[in-house]
Amino acid sequence: ITPIQHASTYQALIDDVLEHKANRVEFNVKPDANDDASGGRRRGRAPPVVRKKFDIDPDVDPFYSRHKFEPFPEAIESNGAELQDVTAKEQQIRSKTGGGGGKDDTAAAGGGGTDSSELATAVESLPILLDRKKKLEVHTSILQAAMNEVAARDVPQFYELEISLATGTYKNDAAKAKKDVVELVSDGTKGNVNDKVRLVIVYALSNGVGSSVDIDEVAQAMAESLETKGSTVGGADAGGAPAMVEGAPGGPTHGTLTKEDRARLDVGLRAIDYLKKLRSMNMIATTSDVMQTEVSGAGSGAAGGGDMLSAFMARATNQATGLLAKANEKLGTMLGKIHKHRATLVVENICEMRPNTEDDEYLYLDPRVKGDVDVATTLRNATRAPVREAIAFVIGGGCYGEYQNLQMVADERRKVTYGCTEIVDPCTFLNHLAKLA
């Protein structure tokens, strides 16, 4: 479920809603139509869309390294706060170099070198400060692009409903689960085709909320709604790059389903049918086993929810950035909701050697033991050393969400390394499922 579910952390969300490969992020930006200086408004035509490309590497980018695992709204807040701090320091340095030249020279000539040395230190620090500001401004552009996609597609609504399905909130009310899913996938103003297909897949993999007939009816409701109402939200292309909603006649319009969206719907329905068959044969885990143990987000208390949202709103009013205010309005529900996914639970159970879990099922080998040994009994019942390093490798498509979630079981005592055949975005993963079907 993890490669399909909507993400909430910065790095995973970039990979979900923007074109992201090998640490390069690409997206389209529509210039301000009122900006005549850009030369965009010629003869009454709309300004051309600009393609932006940025390379972001957590190994050389301090901001990305610190905040890639954080919930998206917190990354926005941190970016705004750090950018304000850097800008204030830059202005302070420039005010010293611009207004005190004569005074500094006099002080230096008279033996009072304190001011001169401070000025020299400030000037030397300016290039480093400007480089940091440049990196922060890159993230501001990326955050804005991701924010535009998230807001246009109402991603938080899909995220919240998927979390509720995956964690068993609807386990005792299957009718309400079906009603809520149908209501969201039938709304032509929310989400693109792939967003809705992903929600239906989460519903199909949820335990105790829908029978095979219910899944068919939900998928049918989604297909009929898209066929009759279309979608006002642009989709993603075959490679996972979101199509920009221009608001022009060339973009998706209400009441129509474009050829590309029709192809995406066909892929999605085949993927749903394939997973439904696997579920009927008990070949995949349902989401009651996939997500457990809700914990709070980084730096937050266990209460989460309303207290966190209130605190975020209070901070938003004190930040001089429209992006943060917009995030407060659209993304507050994505705060502090982190759950242990299936891969994380399996790794934790094995590392902690918990009985009656996957630790009893996975093969245990010890290279220090020589000779013929009964692996099933002798090795497993022998005293085992604590696990200091774990490598979780997925055969097939992996994702940033799974990688980040695994860090929940990493601490000062244990290092967890993640690997997979390839990193894929959700749209690509859907295509893989359709091919398997």
Side-chain angles (χ1 to χ4, degrees), residues 7-335:
S8 65
T9 55
Y10 183 28
Q11 186 182 47
L13 198 62
I14 288 176
D15 196 60
D16 189 342
V17 302
L18 302 178
E19 186 173 349
H20 177 229
K21 191 173 184 65
N23 287 336
R24 169 162 287 190
V25 182
E26 298 186 29
F27 52 88
N28 293 334
V29 174
K30 185 178 179 182
D32 186 356
N34 296 320
D35 187 4
D36 292 329
S38 67
R41 298 195 70 182
R42 294 190 180 96
R43 299 187 184 93
R45 292 180 298 180
V49 171
V50 178
R51 186 71 172 174
K52 296 283 189 178
K53 299 180 181 180
F54 297 110
D55 292 320
I56 50 174
D57 185 349
D59 292 333
V60 296
D61 187 333
F63 179 85
Y64 196 36
S65 179
R66 287 194 304 271
H67 302 294
K68 63 180 181 178
F69 291 167
E70 284 189 354
F72 187 56
E74 293 185 8
I76 292 176
E77 181 185 11
S78 298
N79 178 261
E82 291 189 29
L83 194 56
Q84 284 186 359
D85 180 61
V86 168
T87 301
K89 289 179 179 178
E90 179 193 0
Q91 291 174 347
Q92 185 179 21
I93 292 174
R94 292 190 184 280
S95 67
K96 288 181 179 180
T97 58
K103 179 181 178 181
D104 290 335
D105 292 341
T106 303
T114 303
D115 289 343
S116 296
S117 63
E118 288 180 357
L119 179 60
T121 302
V123 171
E124 288 176 1
S125 66
L126 186 58
I128 299 175
L129 199 66
L130 292 177
D131 181 66
R132 181 185 170 198
K133 181 180 180 181
K134 183 179 179 180
K135 285 186 170 67
L136 288 171
E137 288 174 340
V138 165
H139 283 283
T140 301
S141 298
I142 295 171
L143 287 162
Q144 180 69 67
M147 179 69 214
N148 290 341
E149 280 291 314
V150 168
R153 290 159 51 181
D154 283 286
V155 169
Q157 287 201 32
F158 288 89
Y159 173 80
E160 286 293 313
L161 186 48
E162 288 166 358
I163 287 292
S164 296
L165 291 167
T167 54
T169 302
Y170 289 102
K171 200 166 186 178
N172 297 321
D173 197 347
K176 180 170 174 50
K178 181 179 178 181
K179 176 180 175 295
D180 289 350
V181 172
V182 169
E183 184 177 298
L184 187 52
V185 299
S186 299
D187 190 336
T189 65
K190 298 184 185 299
N192 58 31
V193 175
N194 284 331
D195 290 326
K196 296 177 181 185
V197 168
R198 291 161 64 182
L199 174 58
V200 175
I201 287 178
V202 173
Y203 174 77
L205 297 179
S206 299
N207 186 30
V209 299
S211 64
S212 179
V213 174
D214 290 327
I215 296 169
D216 288 339
E217 291 177 353
V218 169
Q220 183 64 26
M222 174 189 66
E224 289 179 355
S225 173
L226 288 169
E227 290 286 357
T228 57
K229 300 177 183 178
S231 175
T232 58
V233 183
D237 63 26
M244 299 300 291
V245 180
E246 301 297 337
T253 56
H254 188 69
T256 63
L257 191 63
T258 64
K259 181 179 179 180
E260 292 78 11
D261 278 344
R262 198 176 299 279
R264 294 184 189 107
L265 176 59
D266 181 61
V267 166
L269 292 175
R270 283 188 280 132
I272 292 169
D273 186 59
Y274 174 69
L275 291 174
K276 192 180 69 170
K277 289 178 181 177
L278 292 184
R279 170 182 160 165
S280 68
M281 295 184 287
N282 295 320
M283 293 182 67
I284 55 176
T286 53
T287 52
S288 61
D289 304 315
V290 167
M291 281 192 183
Q292 296 177 12
T293 317
E294 181 176 349
V295 298
S296 60
S300 57
D307 291 341
M308 289 190 61
L309 181 56
S310 299
F312 183 71
M313 291 175 68
R315 292 194 298 271
T317 59
N318 295 324
Q319 291 286 344
T321 166
L323 180 59
L324 182 60
K326 191 174 182 182
N328 164 54
E329 177 186 354
K330 293 286 186 180
L331 307 179
T333 55
M334 298 176 76
L335 272 168

Side-chain angles (χ1 to χ4, degrees), residues 363-379:
L363 183 64
Y364 176 72
L365 301 174
D366 191 339
R368 296 171 299 179
V369 177
K370 299 180 180 180
D372 295 332
V373 178
D374 185 347
V375 175
T377 57
T378 306
L379 275 184

